[in-house]
Amino acid sequence: MYQEIDLDRIDMSSGPPAGEPARQYYFMAKCREWVREFEQRNGRCPLAYIQTFGCQMNSRDSEKLLGILEQAGFKKGETENADFVLYNTCTVRENANLKVYGRLGYLNSLKRKNPHMIIALCGCMMQEQEVVARLQKSYRFVDIIFGTHNIFRLAELLYRRLQGEKQVAEIWEDTSQVVEELPVDRKYPFKSGVNIMFGCNNFCSYCIVPYVRGRERSRRPEDIIDEIKRLVADGVVEVMLLGQNVNSYGKTLTEPLSFAKLLKRVEQIDGLERIRFMTSHPKDLSDELIAVMKDSKKICRHLHLPLQSGSSRILRQMNRRYTKEQYLELVDRLRAAVPDIALTTDIIVGFPGETEEDFLETLDVVRKVRYDSAFTFLYSRRTGTPAAAMEEQVPGEVMKDRFDRLLTEVQTMAAEVVRRDEKTVKPVLAEELDTHEPGYLTGRLESNTVVHFKGDASMIGKIVNVSLDEAKGFYFMGSLRE
Ligand code: 5AD
Ligand code: SF4
């Protein structure tokens, strides 16, 4: 079982231990010595601010990064006006990438006013050689650069910077190491992401993820179960099992175990009330998994099932390894087993070579499946992916026109679909105080749809019955029922 190491008991007289996680705890203790000197000089704790871009995996990584910094004595800051600023970056689309460069200019201006400020960058964008080369050449004010495989080494890298090293950069190409048992500061006390695997082997032709997150590696089931038990003991009622392609979980373990069987083990954890997972690849979604979802009391009746395109021709170009018909047939099987399941999806518009007919196929699938919601993306050309080299890139204005049409379709449909639950009473996990309406709470249905209802802070983290009085497009206004 997990044992957090007490920093006061670490022997600092000898050098750093070689093994992990002991080595990182040693460096957390070293950073804490610096933090104490800082406190004496300034009469306050140093503030650390982390900004996360991108997906749920990055959000989970940021909770770990904050945990490390807090263990070293930093306090959590709420803005970039802090002593340590870390951007955990995303590079899945170019926009996310550009946003980071834009924000770096602002950070530089803050650093001019506060020269002791430490600026760090990590995450997917740092796994691209051109990015690191650009930072090393033109962004010398960035103090620490690291990637996705070595986030657990933050304390050590920070210590090197505190010792005077200029622009500490450490990027690993890949890793087989999964370092467990480091401190974590969770954003929500009652729900948490749990990584079950890292990386992706699918190589969809538009996607940069396999290049920046490396090959697929599954965590051992015992470690996952232990982590969830620990979380439940600490007040967590809902977990989201995270991986780029959870349906292929366990294939590379020394004792292979299917994702469906992992879910069955998670289901048995007492005190855990809701289980979610993402992302599912349609090609790997098994009948075994459908059967487990059907029988489960805890797995939310919601599945995020990225479509990407409704045209079988484009799907082949995307290397998705399913056709439009296979996708629709899978949806039928899911709905036959779990009739009230909510489906959500990701769709890319403007993949190279996409014609109007291809796009109409996508609209057709959207109409047939009737999603609860859909994330729609303009295709973004990512250097190094096969799609970037394809001829016939779709002109910007054509892409934009299709995007707008798709968005209208998705929004109209989602509003209709969500309304099916209007005037019913359903369990809602109360998540936070409503930011707009004083006296109201915001929570989520199993389907992941947001509900606002009257309530107070004492209910946060509890699953309560709420009458869904009025559907307002993407969300409900409800009232508490006990
Ligand atoms: N352009 C646009 N969208 C992309 N996605 C991944 N790569 C790209 C790209 N190059 C989308 C996919 C994926 C989601 C996380 O991001 O829809 O499911
Ligand atoms: Fe990218 Fe495809 Fe892997 Fe998802 S499954 S991360 S879209 S390569």
Side-chain angles (χ1 to χ4, degrees):
M1 202 58 178
Y2 171 71
Q3 279 279 289
E4 211 165 83
I5 296 172
D6 182 350
L7 295 196
D8 291 323
R9 287 164 178 250
I10 296 176
D11 175 12
M12 304 295 282
S13 56
S14 48
E20 297 293 3
R23 184 178 177 86
Q24 294 313 310
Y25 277 95
Y26 171 91
F27 283 108
M28 282 177 234
K30 280 287 190 191
C31 291
R32 201 173 62 167
E33 288 172 357
W34 177 89
V35 164
R36 288 195 171 139
E37 281 166 30
F38 179 101
E39 281 172 14
Q40 278 179 354
R41 269 198 318 273
N42 299 285
R44 64 172 180 89
C45 280
L47 289 178
Y49 173 73
I50 302 182
Q51 168 86 42
T52 311
F53 299 84
C55 67
Q56 315 241 10
M57 303 271 237
N58 265 16
S59 303
R60 181 66 181 150
D61 284 350
S62 290
E63 293 184 345
K64 294 179 183 168
L65 293 160
L66 183 61
I68 292 170
L69 292 167
E70 286 181 339
Q71 188 73 224
F74 284 82
K75 287 267 169 297
K76 183 178 169 203
E78 299 299 330
T79 70
E80 276 130 326
N81 253 316
D83 305 287
F84 180 86
V85 174
L86 172 61
Y87 285 168
N88 189 3
T89 63
C90 169
T91 191
V92 80
R93 284 169 293 275
E94 199 183 7
N95 260 353
N97 216 296
L98 295 176
K99 227 185 271 171
V100 169
Y101 285 120
R103 294 283 279 269
L104 278 177
Y106 171 60
L107 282 191
N108 194 19
S109 68
L110 289 179
K111 190 165 180 166
R112 282 209 200 96
K113 284 183 228 142
N114 175 15
H116 302 292
M117 182 175 169
I118 298 173
I119 298 173
L121 297 175
C122 69
C124 292
M125 209 175 137
M126 302 305 121
Q127 295 294 139
E128 291 179 272
Q129 276 170 9
E130 319 77 71
V131 171
V132 175
R134 182 167 168 191
L135 293 169
Q136 287 176 327
K137 185 158 172 276
S138 314
Y139 294 79
R140 296 299 302 169
F141 59 90
V142 175
D143 299 286
I144 304 172
I145 302 169
F146 56 112
T148 53
H149 303 297
N150 54 347
I151 64 152
F152 68 92
R153 284 172 49 81
L154 170 60
E156 183 164 349
L157 301 176
L158 174 58
Y159 184 66
R160 275 167 54 185
R161 175 68 193 87
L162 296 175
Q163 289 297 95
E165 201 177 314
K166 293 268 175 311
Q167 204 173 59
V168 180
E170 184 185 273
I171 312 292
W172 292 0
E173 279 302 306
D174 211 334
T175 185
S176 53
Q177 212 178 353
V178 180
V179 177
E180 315 268 353
E181 307 192 357
L182 283 164
V184 182
D185 179 340
R186 293 199 310 277
K187 187 167 171 209
Y188 298 99
F190 53 86
K191 69 170 184 177
S192 178
V194 174
N195 292 111
I196 63 165
M197 59 198 302
F198 303 91
C200 182
N201 286 354
N202 285 322
F203 291 95
C204 300
S205 63
Y206 51 81
C207 186
I208 201 167
V209 167
Y211 307 91
V212 295
R213 286 265 173 184
R215 293 295 63 72
E216 205 171 278
R217 303 173 298 285
S218 293
R219 274 176 82 196
R220 297 184 325 144
E222 307 83 76
D223 292 335
I224 296 169
I225 300 291
D226 266 3
E227 180 176 346
I228 300 176
K229 283 187 177 160
R230 241 165 30 229
L231 288 166
V232 170
D234 197 33
V236 164
V237 294
E238 177 180 304
V239 289
M240 164 84 89
L241 307 180
L242 296 171
Q244 302 297 347
N245 180 12
V246 291
N247 299 117
S248 71
Y249 171 80
K251 290 187 180 152
T252 52
L253 288 169
T254 32
E255 287 175 49
L257 179 82
S258 68
F259 178 55
K261 293 205 171 62
L262 176 72
L263 278 173
K264 276 175 124 170
R265 291 201 200 172
V266 175
E267 171 111 15
Q268 277 155 19
I269 298 175
D270 283 336
L272 181 65
E273 299 191 49
R274 276 183 170 183
I275 304 167
R276 297 184 187 278
F277 52 86
M278 81 187 301
T279 297
S280 287
H281 194 305
K283 81 174 162 61
D284 296 314
L285 201 142
S286 65
D287 285 335
E288 187 194 14
L289 175 64
I290 298 178
V292 169
M293 286 189 87
K294 178 180 158 87
D295 295 336
S296 168
K297 302 257 177 312
K298 297 187 180 174
I299 300 173
C300 289
R301 260 92 182 110
H302 168 219
L303 191 69
H304 186 68
L305 196 62
L307 168 69
Q308 312 300 5
S309 167
S311 151
S312 297
R313 195 181 71 82
I314 294 293
L315 286 168
R316 198 165 51 246
Q317 300 288 315
M318 286 178 160
N319 193 29
R320 290 291 287 176
R321 285 172 276 174
Y322 54 84
T323 61
K324 173 186 180 186
E325 290 70 31
Q326 284 165 335
Y327 185 95
L328 288 173
E329 193 260 329
L330 174 60
V331 168
D332 285 346
R333 268 188 289 145
L334 275 162
R335 290 223 161 107
V338 190
D340 55 346
I341 195 164
L343 295 175
T344 56
T345 199
D346 293 342
I347 299 171
I348 299 174
V349 168
F351 182 84
E354 184 190 71
T355 62
E356 176 65 16
E357 287 69 43
D358 293 317
F359 174 68
L360 292 176
E361 297 273 16
T362 300
L363 282 185
D364 185 46
V365 176
V366 168
R367 290 187 188 122
K368 289 198 162 109
V369 176
R370 301 180 60 78
Y371 294 104
D372 271 57
S373 78
F375 296 100
T376 49
F377 305 109
L378 286 170
Y379 166 73
S380 170
R381 194 174 183 172
R382 307 311 289 128
T383 312
T385 61
M390 289 180 187
E391 285 160 18
E392 294 187 82
Q393 300 280 328
V394 177
E397 62 280 16
V398 176
M399 253 204 250
K400 185 76 185 44
D401 170 65
R402 289 181 193 160
F403 183 86
D404 291 344
R405 283 154 65 203
L406 177 64
L407 195 63
T408 310
E409 186 69 40
V410 160
Q411 286 176 343
T412 320
M413 175 139 314
E416 274 171 42
V417 173
V418 166
R419 186 164 301 130
R420 80 180 157 226
D421 289 333
E422 199 175 49
K423 308 270 188 281
T424 63
V425 176
K426 293 230 180 273
V428 170
L429 174 59
E431 299 202 335
E432 54 206 343
L433 294 175
D434 195 323
T435 40
H436 300 296
E437 283 282 336
Y440 276 73
L441 292 172
T442 298
R444 277 179 196 271
L445 293 167
E446 265 192 57
S447 65
N448 216 30
T449 303
V450 167
V451 184
H452 302 285
F453 58 101
K454 249 190 202 150
D456 59 70
S458 70
M459 287 174 209
I460 293 176
K462 299 205 171 83
I463 295 180
V464 291
N465 285 325
V466 175
S467 156
L468 306 174
D469 303 326
E470 196 186 349
K472 298 248 187 195
F474 291 116
Y475 65 92
F476 282 103
M477 292 309 296
S479 48
L480 201 62
R481 277 295 139 80
E482 268 319 318

